[in-house]
């Protein structure tokens, strides 16, 4: 399955209710599963972002749908990147003209 890197920031609403964030994380894991995906890794970080999530989804549409549902709840804003494994990278480079 394709891999995605999700860069996450709390909104004002999210940080005001930060004690509820473990429950929201559990709900996000269930949301990803319902979209056919999986949250592979979760990190609380400091700096420009508050959290980093590594996820897998069957295709971009499922990843996008999950991100929109997650963001519409109002506690976080996300930036998502499609990530390519080393094997995928080598295949892409090898196919260059």
């Amino acid at each position: 399955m394709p891999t995605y890197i999700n860069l996450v920031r709390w909104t004002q609403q999210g940080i005001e209710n930060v004690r509820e964030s473990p429950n929201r994380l559990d709900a996000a894991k269930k949301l990803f599963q319902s979209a056919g995906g999986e949250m592979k890794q979760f990190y609380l970080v400091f700096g420009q972002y508050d959290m980093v999530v590594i996820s897998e989804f069957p295709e971009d549409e499922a990843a996008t749908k999950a991100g929109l549902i997650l963001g519409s709840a109002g506690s976080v804003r996300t930036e998502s990147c499609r990530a390519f494994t080393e094997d995928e990278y080598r295949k892409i480079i090898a196919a260059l003209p």
Side-chain angles (χ1 to χ4, degrees), residues 28 31-32 34-35 57 60-72 78:
L31 168 65
F32 283 27
S34 72
F57 285 93
D60 292 345
E61 290 82 3
T64 301
K65 181 179 175 183
L68 289 170
I69 292 169
L70 191 64
S72 70
T78 63

Side-chain angles (χ1 to χ4, degrees), residues 30-75:
K30 289 178 185 173
L31 168 65
F32 283 27
Q33 289 175 342
S34 72
E38 181 181 1
M39 189 178 295
K40 302 297 278 185
Q41 297 176 340
F42 169 87
Y43 300 96
L44 177 67
V45 298
F46 59 88
Q48 183 176 356
Y49 299 97
D50 299 309
M51 296 155 278
V52 174
V53 172
I54 309 300
S55 59
E56 290 183 349
F57 285 93
E59 76 281 323
D60 292 345
E61 290 82 3
T64 301
K65 181 179 175 183
L68 289 170
I69 292 169
L70 191 64
S72 70
S75 294

Side-chain angles (χ1 to χ4, degrees), residues 4-22:
Y4 300 85
I5 299 170
N6 313 104
L7 306 171
V8 185
R9 291 185 186 133
W10 278 306
T11 62
Q12 187 63 38
Q13 173 185 322
I15 196 66
E16 287 174 359
N17 298 294
V18 71
R19 287 178 182 81
E20 294 299 318
S21 63

